[in-house]
Amino acid sequence: MLEPVALKDFFITFFSSALIIMAGASYALLFAWSKVKPRLIIKLSAYASYIILLVSVYQLTLAANLDGYWRIISYLMVIGYFFAPIAIWHLCKQTYDEPDLITTLEKDK
Protein backbone atom coordinates (compact mmCIF):
# COMPACT_ATOMS: atom_id res chain seq x y z
CA MET A 1 0.00 0.00 0.00
CA LEU A 2 1.23 3.45 -0.86
CA GLU A 3 1.94 5.75 2.04
CA PRO A 4 1.34 9.28 0.74
CA VAL A 5 3.26 11.20 3.40
CA ALA A 6 5.36 9.75 6.16
CA LEU A 7 4.60 11.02 9.60
CA LYS A 8 8.10 12.47 9.94
CA ASP A 9 7.49 14.53 6.79
CA PHE A 10 4.12 15.88 7.87
CA PHE A 11 5.39 19.27 9.01
CA ILE A 12 7.61 19.65 5.95
CA THR A 13 4.59 18.94 3.76
CA PHE A 14 2.42 21.34 5.75
CA PHE A 15 4.88 24.24 5.72
CA SER A 16 5.95 23.79 2.10
CA SER A 17 2.28 23.74 1.05
CA ALA A 18 1.63 26.93 2.99
CA LEU A 19 4.75 28.49 1.50
CA ILE A 20 3.54 27.61 -2.01
CA ILE A 21 0.35 29.57 -1.40
CA MET A 22 2.13 32.55 0.15
CA ALA A 23 4.93 32.69 -2.45
CA GLY A 24 2.50 32.29 -5.33
CA ALA A 25 0.28 35.07 -4.06
CA SER A 26 3.20 37.40 -3.40
CA TYR A 27 4.63 36.68 -6.88
CA ALA A 28 1.35 37.60 -8.55
CA LEU A 29 0.85 40.71 -6.42
CA LEU A 30 4.42 41.95 -6.77
CA PHE A 31 4.37 41.32 -10.52
CA ALA A 32 1.18 43.36 -10.90
CA TRP A 33 2.60 46.08 -8.66
CA SER A 34 5.79 46.21 -10.74
CA LYS A 35 3.66 46.80 -13.83
CA VAL A 36 1.72 49.61 -12.18
CA LYS A 37 4.80 51.23 -10.60
CA PRO A 38 7.78 50.22 -12.72
CA ARG A 39 10.59 49.90 -10.19
CA LEU A 40 13.36 47.36 -10.43
CA ILE A 41 13.25 46.39 -6.75
CA ILE A 42 9.59 45.42 -7.01
CA LYS A 43 10.21 43.28 -10.08
CA LEU A 44 13.20 41.61 -8.41
CA SER A 45 11.06 40.93 -5.36
CA ALA A 46 8.48 39.26 -7.59
CA TYR A 47 11.12 37.01 -9.10
CA ALA A 48 12.51 36.23 -5.63
CA SER A 49 9.01 35.15 -4.61
CA TYR A 50 8.87 32.91 -7.66
CA ILE A 51 12.18 31.30 -6.71
CA ILE A 52 10.77 30.62 -3.24
CA LEU A 53 7.77 29.06 -4.97
CA LEU A 54 10.07 26.81 -7.01
CA VAL A 55 12.00 25.66 -3.96
CA SER A 56 8.86 24.96 -1.96
CA VAL A 57 7.31 22.93 -4.82
CA TYR A 58 10.50 20.93 -5.08
CA GLN A 59 10.47 20.31 -1.34
CA LEU A 60 6.80 19.29 -1.44
CA THR A 61 7.39 16.80 -4.24
CA LEU A 62 10.16 15.20 -2.19
CA ALA A 63 8.23 15.15 1.08
CA ALA A 64 4.96 13.90 -0.44
CA ASN A 65 6.69 11.18 -2.48
CA LEU A 66 5.45 12.54 -5.78
CA ASP A 67 7.08 10.50 -8.51
CA GLY A 68 6.59 9.96 -12.20
CA TYR A 69 3.68 11.81 -13.74
CA TRP A 70 2.84 13.63 -10.51
CA ARG A 71 6.27 15.24 -10.43
CA ILE A 72 5.94 16.26 -14.09
CA ILE A 73 2.49 17.75 -13.41
CA SER A 74 3.89 19.67 -10.42
CA TYR A 75 6.65 21.20 -12.48
CA LEU A 76 4.32 22.01 -15.37
CA MET A 77 2.04 23.84 -12.95
CA VAL A 78 4.99 25.85 -11.62
CA ILE A 79 6.04 26.79 -15.14
CA GLY A 80 2.46 27.75 -15.96
CA TYR A 81 2.25 29.84 -12.84
CA PHE A 82 5.24 31.87 -14.03
CA PHE A 83 3.41 32.85 -17.21
CA ALA A 84 -0.10 33.24 -15.76
CA PRO A 85 0.37 36.74 -14.23
CA ILE A 86 2.09 37.90 -17.42
CA ALA A 87 -0.78 36.66 -19.57
CA ILE A 88 -3.39 38.11 -17.22
CA TRP A 89 -1.58 41.45 -17.29
CA HIS A 90 -1.61 41.55 -21.09
CA LEU A 91 -5.27 40.49 -21.15
CA CYS A 92 -6.23 43.28 -18.74
CA LYS A 93 -4.17 45.80 -20.66
CA GLN A 94 -5.80 44.85 -23.95
CA THR A 95 -9.23 44.90 -22.36
CA TYR A 96 -9.03 48.24 -20.56
CA ASP A 97 -6.67 50.22 -22.79
CA GLU A 98 -8.97 50.08 -25.81
CA PRO A 99 -10.61 53.51 -26.06
CA ASP A 100 -12.68 52.53 -29.12
CA LEU A 101 -14.47 49.86 -27.11
CA ILE A 102 -15.93 52.42 -24.71
CA THR A 103 -17.03 54.78 -27.44
CA THR A 104 -18.49 51.90 -29.46
CA LEU A 105 -20.56 50.74 -26.53
CA GLU A 106 -21.75 54.27 -25.85
CA LYS A 107 -22.76 54.73 -29.47
CA ASP A 108 -24.87 51.57 -29.39
CA LYS A 109 -27.11 52.91 -26.59
Side-chain angles (χ1 to χ4, degrees), residues 17 19 22 43 51 65 83 85 101-102:
S17 300
L19 195 58
M22 296 300 292
K43 188 172 256 186
I51 290 171
N65 300 322
F83 293 107
L101 179 66
I102 295 170

Side-chain angles (χ1 to χ4, degrees), residues 25-35 42-43 45-47 49:
S26 69
Y27 167 66
L29 290 173
L30 287 170
F31 181 82
W33 191 23
S34 72
K35 290 297 184 180
I42 299 170
K43 188 172 256 186
S45 299
Y47 292 139
S49 296

Side-chain angles (χ1 to χ4, degrees), residues 6-83:
L7 189 58
K8 65 179 177 69
D9 294 333
F10 176 75
F11 286 110
I12 294 171
T13 305
F14 176 78
F15 287 115
S16 62
S17 300
L19 195 58
I20 287 171
I21 295 170
M22 296 300 292
S26 69
Y27 167 66
L29 290 173
L30 287 170
F31 181 82
W33 191 23
S34 72
K35 290 297 184 180
V36 173
K37 288 202 176 255
R39 291 185 182 162
L40 182 62
I41 189 71
I42 299 170
K43 188 172 256 186
L44 290 177
S45 299
Y47 292 139
S49 296
Y50 185 75
I51 290 171
I52 292 170
L53 176 69
L54 282 175
V55 170
S56 56
V57 166
Y58 176 73
Q59 188 61 43
L60 180 65
T61 57
L62 291 179
N65 300 322
L66 298 178
D67 291 326
Y69 293 118
W70 289 108
R71 187 171 288 187
I72 293 170
I73 289 172
S74 300
Y75 293 139
L76 286 177
M77 286 191 314
V78 168
I79 292 169
Y81 199 81
F82 178 79
F83 293 107

Side-chain angles (χ1 to χ4, degrees), residues 85-100:
I86 298 169
I88 291 171
W89 174 259
H90 287 293
L91 178 67
C92 289
K93 188 172 178 168
Q94 292 294 321
T95 301
Y96 294 110
D97 280 352
E98 186 69 34
D100 294 334

